[in-house]
Amino acid sequence: MDKLKSLIPFTTFFLIIGSSIKLITFYSYFGINITKFMEFSEFTFAFLEDIYSYVYVFGGWLIWTLIDDMFLDNKKENENVKIKRRDYFKNLIGIFLLIFFLQLIAKIWFVNTIIIGIAIISLIIACLIFILLKSKFDTVSKYYTLIPAFLFLSYLNANMKIAMIDENTELSTEFKIQLTNKKIILSSENMFLGRTKNYSFLLNKKSNKTIVYQNKDIFEFEITN
């Protein structure tokens, strides 16, 4: 429990960093510098959009590692452990980079959503292998494995959302925006990207332009399942 308490500040920090990576990656693809349209407090809670997936994946991961600790001898910090830990994360980051570059290359020839889905599964499998087979020299490395995994997963989640929009698989609901002077019905050509406290973002796929509306000009926002 003491170890978990000490990890709470780091966990909070990397949740904010991870959600920021996802937002910046996603909106920059459409030519939007999202940092100019969001307040800092919005970045702080942006991870809540994916809270269920994080609870399922990392909650289960954390419970498993806690149970595994019961059967692992606690080893004291020494120079040998430090060397092993350095090599452990060097190899882990190397695997992540390999997955990153392979999915970049594969997206040239294959459907993006499928490739990114395979990359996400490969990321999870790689982390499980490292935790199961390579982290037995100390318990701390198992928990710190979550940090680069979470940041990489945030990047892949952003690219999955981009791919779904590019392939017209993101539109599962119908959006209608009633502005003060006109109504906009969103379709596969006019897609809703997201909104912040003060702005809403629409993509016109035909002209490949992103339109930014101030929320104060939106009279009504209707979502139909």
Side-chain angles (χ1 to χ4, degrees):
M1 292 305 297
D2 289 337
K3 288 181 181 179
L4 288 179
K5 289 178 182 178
S6 66
L7 290 175
I8 289 176
F10 295 100
T11 303
T12 304
F13 173 74
F14 281 102
L15 280 173
I16 296 173
I17 295 297
S19 59
S20 300
I21 288 174
K22 180 182 177 182
L23 287 170
I24 292 171
T25 301
F26 175 75
Y27 283 104
S28 63
Y29 180 82
F30 302 103
I32 301 172
N33 184 357
I34 194 62
T35 58
K36 294 182 178 180
F37 295 95
M38 290 183 68
E39 299 176 0
F40 177 76
S41 58
E42 293 181 85
F43 283 101
T44 304
F45 296 100
F47 72 91
L48 293 175
E49 179 182 350
D50 302 306
I51 190 66
Y52 287 116
S53 60
Y54 293 149
V55 168
Y56 293 148
V57 175
F58 294 111
W61 197 338
L62 182 61
I63 291 172
W64 181 85
T65 52
L66 287 172
I67 294 173
D68 187 56
D69 282 347
M70 299 177 186
F71 304 97
L72 180 66
D73 293 333
N74 291 320
K75 293 180 173 60
K76 295 182 179 180
E77 182 87 1
N78 55 54
E79 195 63 32
N80 189 42
V81 171
K82 290 181 180 179
I83 294 173
K84 288 184 178 180
R85 188 179 296 162
R86 182 190 62 197
D87 293 339
Y88 172 87
F89 283 105
K90 186 188 297 183
N91 293 331
L92 180 69
I93 298 301
I95 293 295
F96 285 179
L97 288 175
L98 178 63
I99 295 172
F100 171 76
F101 286 113
L102 285 178
Q103 62 92 24
L104 279 183
I105 295 171
K107 284 193 296 186
I108 299 174
W109 297 286
F110 301 99
V111 179
N112 286 354
T113 50
I114 295 175
I115 295 302
I116 296 173
I118 293 173
I120 291 173
I121 294 172
S122 300
L123 167 68
I124 296 172
I125 292 175
C127 290
L128 288 175
I129 291 174
F130 266 77
I131 289 177
L132 284 169
L133 302 180
K134 299 181 179 295
S135 67
K136 296 302 182 182
F137 58 91
D138 77 326
T139 58
V140 175
S141 295
K142 291 193 300 183
Y143 297 102
Y144 284 166
T145 301
L146 292 174
I147 295 173
F150 173 72
L151 298 180
F152 191 18
L153 183 61
S154 299
Y155 168 82
L156 290 176
N157 279 338
N159 280 275
M160 176 63 82
K161 193 172 181 180
I162 291 169
M164 292 175 70
I165 289 175
D166 283 343
E167 296 162 18
N168 291 330
T169 57
E170 172 72 7
L171 192 68
S172 58
T173 55
E174 180 181 345
F175 293 88
K176 294 179 182 178
I177 296 179
Q178 178 69 55
L179 300 174
T180 52
N181 57 350
K182 63 178 179 179
K183 177 180 286 188
I184 300 176
I185 299 178
L186 304 186
S187 62
S188 58
E189 289 188 1
N190 293 293
M191 303 187 72
F192 176 72
L193 295 178
R195 68 187 313 191
T196 63
K197 180 180 179 181
N198 298 311
Y199 300 93
S200 293
F201 306 95
L202 277 67
L203 172 69
N204 187 303
K205 294 192 70 176
K206 190 173 183 180
S207 62
N208 198 29
K209 292 182 179 179
T210 303
I211 306 170
V212 182
Y213 292 102
Q214 288 190 335
N215 289 337
K216 65 180 183 180
D217 295 328
I218 298 177
F219 176 71
E220 186 178 89
F221 195 97
E222 181 181 322
I223 302 174
T224 306
N225 292 327

